[in-house]
Amino acid sequence: MAIVISCMCRSNDYDEDDADEDEEDPHLKKDEEYLHDYKRTKKGVVYQPVDLEALEEARKEREKELKMYSVIQEISAYFLFLWVIMILSYGNRDPNNFYLREALVNGFIKPGDLWVEFNNVNTEKKFWNWTYTALVPELFAGRWYNDRDPLGLRLYLDDRNNLKIGYAVLRQVRIQPRSCKVSWLIEEITPECAGFGSVAFEDGTLYTKGWRKVNSTETLVPPEYKYLTASQLKGYPFWGQVDWYGGGGYVVPLEAERDSDIKVLLQRLKRLEREGWIDKYTRAVFVEFGTYNAQVNLFCAITILAEFIPGGGVIPYYHIDPLRLLNYHTGFGFFQAVTEIVFVIFTIFFTVRELRRMIREGREYFRQYWNVAEFLSLIVSYTGIANHVYKMFVISEILRKFTETEGRGYVKLQEAVLLDELFCYQIGFVMSISTLKFLKLLRFNKRIGILSSTLRVCAEELQSYSVCLMVVFMAFVILFWLLLGRFVHEFSTFVYSFESCISMMLKKFNYEDMYAAQPIFTPIAFFTFSLATAVVLINILLSIIIRSFENVKRDVSLQSNEYEILDFFINRVKMLTGLGKAKVRPLPSMYRDKKKKPKDTVASFPDKVDKLVDFINDFYFENQVDFNSRDFLRKMNLDVARNNKTFDREKKKAKPVKAVKSKIPKSISERFDDF
């Protein structure tokens, strides 16, 4: 096509000879310049090569620009990736989570109410009282102000805003008799005992009323005394304040649609209280149900737990988890779905890139911190994707069951809560690693490199010093655990004691409780701990880091900062706006001598003097007398004595020097500049 068009549209002045025009110099515009220097001679224009040093500087500047462009592209792509992660992580968060949780806490926990507040439940009697006066009335929508039935609100809570997902249940977890060993000294007095709750020793036996064992298959087993497994209840282990508890147990459904049903439910609970449904083998009683608030599009899983400890008493605990399970029915939901697809694409792209690096570097790949961090981030990303996909199936199953049973069936949100919490951990880990990777992306800035360099320099000293620090710290942890473990909750276990000691190092502690528990040893132990850790050990640790920082700062200050992104951006913007020019440009030959300044040294002084004398000899004398040798005086004396006429002729030839004296200082000054 190009050949056909050129034949059809060719010019008709092909017979004209433009050979003369080729010999003429092209006319440059104001904003143009020659790429190379040319020198005109009798034979024509001769090419003059560019300055090699300037060309080398231009090459280095171009390499720097290419590196900076690659860094900018990497930063831009990572900004997009970080933005996608932010949408995925923050899109699942809603300010209404807090307010919904507060509303449910005020409804069921009753903070501030001395008679029915759940946090004040410390005995079995108070637990039943809270069940009658707070739990059951709040679970069902009460009658209107005019004493009419709440028609159409049978699935709502008493606040008439939160819809119950299924019905609530009371679930009891029991421990097996003889789950602990009694000392032989008192076996005759106390033949058996039951320890703390344990998943391995949970009781799953069938009982009749009063927790009497079933002797035959014909014995009637009430539903409240029938053990249901975790798979039947769709439950998972739960970690309370005291111990772990399994997902199974003995269940009492809390179902009611009318006022008469609520009265029947209360009578049933009172009957269970009289029968001793909660006894010395009870280790936990759960209240579990889920709600949905359409106004804010939030589900909520409520778990209220009363832990019955073997020593007597009750420890109240509750866990209310608002979560968003329906995301794709709004405009923002569609946008979030798009970002999820983009996140998958980014994950695949980073996986291919890291696999290439892994193949190219081999074992050396895992010896670099950033490579290991990227590898772990990719693994967590894939597990997060799988978790999110599985959570979608779980949600669809929950909604299907709720729709089929019209709200009357048993639906548990614990699995969805665990998956959502796991997804938050995964996306939080990826978000953290992605944020820290900006330190790697800003590696061209020497100031950013001070952090990693400081840690690298002081790593060996910190490794040896950390052993001493941990030995001293663990000694105080054990000391406080043994002294205060029986009296203060913050030191009741080794883990709690470890956490509390860290808090004391950060100046966060409750000294009054510690002093009340041990008024003699607490001041001594606390003063010694503060002096040893906060004053001595921590200051030594900071001294090691500060000394390494000073050494690194002195080294970094001597290094060149070639990749300063701020200067690069400013220079690029100036060039785009026409306010700036390139840093390195090959100069014409007429300016190169001014640019090149030879190094002046004492050793080159005699050579410079010889060059100056040679120039004077060539300029003033035709016979080129050598002023640099001792023969000069001898030759001059011989010439004067031999022939005075020759001397006169030389003297006459020297007269025209006066006519060119005006030119001499200029040439000599140029030589002195070179000198």
Side-chain angles (χ1 to χ4, degrees):
M1 292 179 63
I3 294 174
V4 172
I5 293 174
S6 63
C7 292
M8 295 175 60
C9 303
R10 61 180 180 176
S11 177
N12 295 325
D13 57 352
Y14 54 87
D15 294 332
E16 296 181 3
D17 188 6
D18 58 350
D20 297 334
E21 297 179 359
D22 294 339
E23 299 298 330
E24 297 179 359
D25 293 336
H27 299 284
L28 299 178
K29 297 181 180 180
K30 295 182 179 180
D31 58 343
E32 294 179 344
E33 62 182 5
Y34 286 108
L35 181 62
H36 303 288
D37 296 333
Y38 294 89
K39 182 178 180 182
R40 182 174 292 280
T41 61
K42 295 181 179 180
K43 297 182 180 180
V45 180
V46 180
Y47 164 73
Q48 296 292 327
V50 298
D51 188 1
L52 296 180
E53 293 184 3
L55 187 62
E56 180 67 18
E57 293 180 6
R59 184 185 65 81
K60 293 180 180 179
E61 181 70 15
R62 181 57 181 169
E63 290 179 354
K64 184 197 300 184
E65 292 180 0
L66 293 176
K67 291 180 181 179
M68 289 305 303
Y69 281 130
S70 63
V71 170
I72 292 173
Q73 291 176 0
E74 187 176 1
I75 291 177
S76 302
Y78 216 80
F79 261 116
L80 179 60
F81 176 68
L82 189 64
W83 178 65
V84 170
I85 298 178
M86 287 181 178
I87 293 175
L88 294 180
S89 57
Y90 302 150
N92 198 28
R93 292 292 176 264
D94 195 318
N96 293 306
N97 287 340
F98 173 78
Y99 299 111
L100 178 60
R101 182 181 181 277
E102 285 297 305
L104 294 173
V105 168
N106 294 331
F108 290 93
I109 307 302
K110 305 289 185 181
D113 194 331
L114 297 177
W115 299 106
V116 294
E117 183 180 357
F118 181 73
N119 293 323
N120 295 332
V121 172
N122 52 17
T123 62
E124 177 189 349
K125 186 68 177 179
K126 289 185 178 181
F127 175 77
W128 285 115
N129 179 65
W130 171 82
T131 303
Y132 303 144
T133 58
L135 176 62
V136 175
E138 290 291 337
L139 276 177
F140 308 99
R143 302 177 70 87
W144 290 104
Y145 66 95
N146 54 4
D147 201 30
R148 291 187 177 181
D149 293 332
L151 301 177
L153 299 176
R154 63 179 180 84
L155 296 180
Y156 282 83
L157 300 179
D158 191 44
D159 58 10
R160 293 172 171 81
N161 285 315
N162 291 287
L163 176 71
K164 291 196 298 292
I165 305 298
Y167 55 85
V169 296
L170 275 177
R171 179 170 64 91
Q172 180 183 162
V173 176
R174 297 174 61 83
I175 193 70
Q176 295 178 1
R178 303 181 184 276
S179 57
C180 62
K181 187 177 181 181
V182 181
S183 176
W184 61 273
L185 296 175
I186 56 174
E187 281 185 351
E188 297 181 357
I189 303 173
T190 305
E192 63 177 11
C193 69
F196 282 91
S198 176
V199 178
F201 295 100
E202 285 186 3
D203 191 6
T205 310
L206 298 179
Y207 293 95
T208 60
K209 293 181 180 181
W211 298 109
R212 294 188 297 272
K213 291 186 178 181
V214 177
N215 297 324
S216 63
T217 57
E218 298 179 356
T219 304
L220 181 62
V221 178
E224 299 88 357
Y225 297 91
K226 182 179 180 181
Y227 182 82
L228 299 179
T229 62
S231 60
Q232 292 175 324
L233 296 176
K234 305 294 182 182
Y236 292 87
F238 187 88
W239 190 7
Q241 288 284 90
V242 178
D243 212 330
W244 280 91
Y245 305 99
Y250 301 88
V251 176
V252 178
L254 303 178
E255 297 180 278
E257 296 184 4
R258 295 180 296 272
D259 286 349
S260 58
D261 297 334
I262 297 176
K263 294 178 181 179
V264 172
L265 177 61
L266 290 174
Q267 294 175 1
R268 183 182 182 186
L269 293 175
K270 291 179 180 180
R271 177 179 58 83
L272 292 176
E273 182 183 5
R274 292 192 301 269
E275 294 175 356
W277 191 69
I278 298 177
D279 61 357
K280 63 179 181 180
Y281 298 110
T282 301
R283 289 295 171 264
V285 176
F286 291 84
V287 178
E288 299 172 327
F289 61 97
T291 63
Y292 174 69
N293 194 308
Q295 284 77 7
V296 293
N297 188 28
L298 288 176
F299 289 81
C300 194
I302 297 94
T303 302
I304 303 174
L305 170 63
E307 298 181 87
F308 294 81
I309 55 180
V314 179
I315 296 179
Y317 179 71
Y318 60 91
H319 210 277
I320 300 177
D321 301 292
L323 66 158
R324 175 168 292 169
L325 301 180
L326 303 177
N327 297 319
Y328 306 119
H329 64 285
T330 60
F332 181 78
F334 175 77
F335 178 72
Q336 186 175 357
V338 173
T339 55
E340 290 173 359
I341 297 174
V342 174
F343 175 76
V344 174
I345 295 174
F346 267 113
T347 304
I348 296 174
F349 169 75
F350 289 137
T351 302
V352 174
R353 188 186 65 178
E354 295 303 318
L355 286 177
R356 290 179 178 177
R357 289 182 180 178
M358 196 180 302
I359 295 173
R360 183 173 61 253
E361 299 178 9
R363 295 181 179 179
E364 296 295 330
Y365 176 86
F366 295 98
R367 296 182 180 179
Q368 300 181 14
Y369 166 77
W370 293 114
N371 294 338
V372 176
E374 186 69 25
F375 182 76
L376 294 177
S377 178
L378 289 175
I379 294 177
V380 176
S381 298
Y382 280 110
T383 56
I385 293 172
N387 178 22
H388 187 66
V389 173
Y390 179 68
K391 186 177 70 173
M392 294 174 62
F393 287 102
V394 172
I395 295 170
S396 62
E397 179 65 21
I398 291 174
L399 297 178
R400 183 192 62 81
K401 190 172 183 179
F402 177 77
T403 304
E404 290 180 353
T405 59
E406 297 181 353
R408 294 184 176 89
Y410 173 75
V411 180
K412 194 169 185 178
L413 299 179
Q414 186 181 7
E415 185 177 8
V417 170
L418 294 176
L419 293 175
D420 183 76
E421 189 173 1
L422 178 60
F423 180 76
C424 292
Y425 294 154
Q426 293 166 336
I427 201 68
F429 180 83
V430 176
M431 185 73 184
S432 177
I433 295 297
S434 303
T435 305
L436 289 176
K437 282 192 67 176
F438 270 105
L439 297 177
K440 177 186 177 184
L441 298 178
L442 298 177
R443 62 190 178 275
F444 53 85
N445 192 325
K446 65 180 181 181
R447 296 173 182 85
I448 299 297
I450 291 178
L451 175 62
S452 59
S453 300
T454 302
L455 296 178
R456 185 167 53 253
V457 169
C458 65
E460 295 183 359
E461 294 186 57
L462 290 180
Q463 288 177 0
S464 57
Y465 178 73
S466 61
V467 176
C468 177
L469 178 63
M470 288 303 300
V471 168
V472 176
F473 184 77
M474 293 300 295
F476 282 102
V477 170
I478 297 173
L479 174 63
F480 284 110
W481 179 32
L482 296 177
L483 288 178
L484 306 174
R486 295 175 295 171
F487 311 103
V488 184
H489 178 264
E490 287 77 7
F491 300 93
S492 58
T493 63
F494 178 80
V495 177
Y496 287 171
S497 180
F498 187 88
E499 296 174 352
S500 300
C501 289
I502 294 177
S503 299
M504 285 195 295
M505 292 176 62
L506 301 176
K507 307 299 185 294
K508 295 180 180 180
F509 53 88
N510 189 354
Y511 183 77
E512 288 76 11
D513 294 345
M514 298 167 58
Y515 181 79
Q518 290 286 351
I520 298 177
F521 293 101
T522 295
I524 300 174
F526 184 80
F527 176 77
T528 308
F529 175 79
S530 301
L531 182 65
T533 58
V535 178
V536 179
L537 297 178
I538 298 301
N539 286 331
I540 295 176
L541 177 65
L542 293 177
S543 300
I544 295 174
I545 298 175
I546 291 173
R547 186 182 63 182
S548 301
F549 173 76
E550 293 295 334
N551 296 333
V552 170
K553 188 171 65 174
R554 284 195 297 268
D555 294 339
V556 172
S557 61
L558 301 177
Q559 299 176 4
S560 62
N561 191 13
E562 297 180 350
Y563 306 115
E564 184 61 47
I565 189 170
L566 182 60
D567 296 340
F568 177 77
F569 272 126
I570 293 175
N571 187 36
R572 293 295 99 181
V573 171
K574 287 183 178 180
M575 291 181 62
L576 292 175
T577 56
L579 300 177
K581 296 181 180 180
K583 291 184 178 180
V584 180
R585 308 176 74 182
L587 299 176
S589 58
M590 59 185 299
Y591 299 109
R592 290 175 194 154
D593 293 336
K594 295 182 179 180
K595 180 181 177 183
K596 299 178 183 178
K597 294 183 179 181
K599 298 180 180 179
D600 296 330
T601 59
V602 179
S604 63
F605 183 77
D607 296 334
K608 297 295 183 181
V609 174
D610 293 342
K611 290 182 180 180
L612 178 62
V613 174
D614 290 339
F615 170 73
I616 296 174
N617 184 24
D618 295 340
F619 190 82
Y620 287 101
F621 304 100
E622 293 181 353
N623 56 359
Q624 298 180 357
V625 179
D626 187 7
F627 284 91
N628 295 328
S629 62
R630 296 181 178 179
D631 296 337
F632 173 71
L633 295 176
R634 182 176 57 80
K635 290 181 180 180
M636 290 296 295
N637 292 330
L638 290 175
D639 290 340
V640 172
R642 184 180 301 171
N643 194 353
N644 292 330
K645 294 182 180 180
T646 304
F647 181 77
D648 294 337
R649 187 171 61 252
E650 295 294 337
K651 189 175 181 180
K652 290 179 181 180
K653 290 182 179 180
K655 288 180 180 180
V657 174
K658 296 180 180 180
V660 296
K661 277 185 178 180
S662 59
K663 298 182 180 180
I664 293 174
K666 184 176 180 181
S667 300
I668 294 177
S669 63
E670 292 178 357
R671 290 291 182 169
F672 267 108
D673 289 339
D674 191 17
F675 166 72

